[in-house]
Structure formats: C-alpha cells, structure tokens
Amino acid sequence: MAKQMNYHTIHQIFSRFQEAEPEPKGELDHTNVYTLVVAVALSAQATDVGVNKATKALFEIADTPQKMLNLGLEGLTEHIKTIGLFRQKAKNVMKMSQILVEEYGGEVPSSRAALESLPGVGRKTANVVLNMWWDIPAQAVDTHIFRFGNRSGVAPGKDVVVVERAIEDNIPAEFQRHAHHWMILHGRYTCKARKPMCGTCLIRDLCEFEDKEYD
C-alpha cells in the first residue's frame, strides 16, 4: 500500500483525468433511476458488459417497479440467468420493487439511508445511484477503485470505508463529482489487477506505485 499522496500531486492527477475525459460516464445501461438501481444491484460480482446484455430486453418490458412485479420472479429470473448469483439477485429485485411500490409510491428515494434499506442495495450501490443520477459526489469504492487508490497513493486504506473516506477527504472538491468514474475507468482499463499498463499510463510520473511496468 502506497503512502498518502500530497494535495498538489492529487490535483495534478485529476486535472489530467479531467482534460482527457471531461464528462466520464458509467458503463451500465439504464433508462431511468429505477433501472439504474436494478442494474447496479445486478452488477455485484458480474461485469457491466454481462449485465447490459441481460438487461437489454428486460428493461424494455420492466422499467418501473410495478412492471417488474407484473413480470414476476420467474420472468425476471429467465432474463438474468446469465448473471452470477442470479437467483438471489432476482429475489432481491422483486422485494425491492415491492417496497418501492408500497412505501415510496413507485419512486426511488434519493437518500443514502433509504436506498441502503432496500433489499440488495448496499452502500456501494447507493453511492453509485446518488452519483450517477442525482450528481451527488458520493464515492462508490469497488475493486478497481480500491486497487487504484492503494497503488497510486491517491486514497490508501485497508478497507473500502477507509478508502471512501480518503477519497472524500483528499481529492479536491472540484473533482469530487466525477472522481468515481475517472478512478473506476482507470482501474478497469489501465491500472489492471494482474498487469497494469504503466507504460501508457496518463499519470505514471505522479503515481506512487513502486512496481511499475513499462513494456
């Protein structure tokens, strides 16, 4: 784990990310906030590509909680059976949809606490939804961000909560809204787990990672 990077270097890093991609976007397909919640919940231990393939037809017929309930558990399960842990995820989506209809009038709540109270929605999912839909600078720490934060020194920490706090505390406010997407995309495509692409990395001269590879 790298040491905590100083403010000036972090500012340089995110300035470069911003210049390269001013408006980074998440890669999960969705049509509204409800389908975003469902997609993010389904993405646990699955790839965005795999989730998008499974939800393409699903969201055409079930893009609201009531429509999902109308589809039923068996119908939902059939659509998402290619996704890992699909049976439990299907049950959670149905329970979530039922709660949204009965307690929230079919609308997705916009507070972290309310989101986290929904079946299958943890802190990471709630933060993704708050960030992507309501533009709240919530930081969802997944495996890519955890790896990048620790390797680079931008946000080191022994667990996701510590890394999340480090991101909020140490990344300048002007970059907070898009920080999540810049880091996840960088971790997914450049700062890879097994073979980081240090030779073509945008921030290789600023990163604290000691085992850089340049081939």
Side-chain angles (χ1 to χ4, degrees):
M1 184 169 69
K3 63 181 181 180
Q4 176 62 55
M5 188 178 286
N6 64 55
Y7 174 88
H8 178 69
T9 305
I10 292 176
H11 195 284
Q12 284 184 288
I13 284 174
F14 283 88
S15 293
R16 292 184 188 180
F17 285 158
Q18 184 177 60
E19 183 178 358
E21 185 62 63
E23 293 288 334
K25 303 295 183 184
E27 297 185 319
L28 282 172
D29 294 338
H30 59 282
T31 58
N32 55 33
V33 65
Y34 171 70
T35 56
L36 175 60
V37 175
V38 172
V40 179
L42 293 177
S43 71
Q45 299 182 354
T47 66
D48 289 359
V49 172
V51 172
N52 289 340
K53 288 181 179 178
T55 58
K56 181 176 175 58
L58 172 66
F59 291 160
E60 290 178 356
I61 59 173
D63 60 353
T64 70
Q66 187 58 61
K67 289 179 181 178
M68 191 67 75
L69 293 175
N70 294 343
L71 178 63
L73 179 60
E74 290 187 7
L76 171 58
T77 302
E78 183 65 24
H79 275 89
I80 66 170
K81 62 184 180 182
T82 57
I83 300 175
L85 306 176
F86 69 94
R87 294 191 188 280
Q88 185 58 50
K89 289 178 180 179
K91 292 177 182 178
N92 285 338
V93 169
M94 297 307 292
K95 291 178 183 177
M96 177 207 314
S97 301
Q98 189 73 41
I99 291 172
L100 290 175
V101 169
E102 294 179 351
E103 299 183 19
Y104 296 96
E107 301 295 327
V108 175
S110 58
S111 78
R112 180 185 285 114
L115 286 167
E116 286 189 52
S117 73
L118 298 172
V121 178
R123 186 176 183 85
K124 184 179 76 172
T125 296
N127 282 349
V128 171
V129 174
L130 291 172
N131 184 294
M132 289 183 64
W133 193 261
W134 285 291
D135 293 332
I136 296 171
Q139 306 300 336
V141 179
D142 70 349
T143 182
H144 301 297
I145 293 177
F146 186 82
R147 179 175 64 253
F148 169 72
N150 278 289
R151 272 183 180 169
S152 65
V154 165
K158 294 182 179 181
D159 59 55
V160 295
V161 175
V162 176
V163 171
E164 180 183 327
R165 179 62 60 84
I167 293 170
E168 293 173 346
D169 288 348
N170 298 309
I171 294 175
E174 65 196 275
F175 303 121
Q176 284 283 334
R177 180 188 166 202
H178 292 314
H180 163 75
H181 284 125
W182 283 321
M183 288 187 289
I184 194 171
L185 294 172
H186 191 74
R188 181 175 291 164
Y189 297 112
T190 301
C191 194
K192 300 178 180 181
R194 295 186 179 180
K195 192 173 182 181
M197 301 171 63
C198 301
T200 58
C201 177
L202 185 67
I203 61 166
R204 61 184 178 275
D205 57 318
L206 302 173
C207 176
E208 299 281 354
F209 186 42
E210 295 180 354
D211 300 322
K212 293 187 178 73
E213 300 177 8
Y214 290 96
D215 55 352

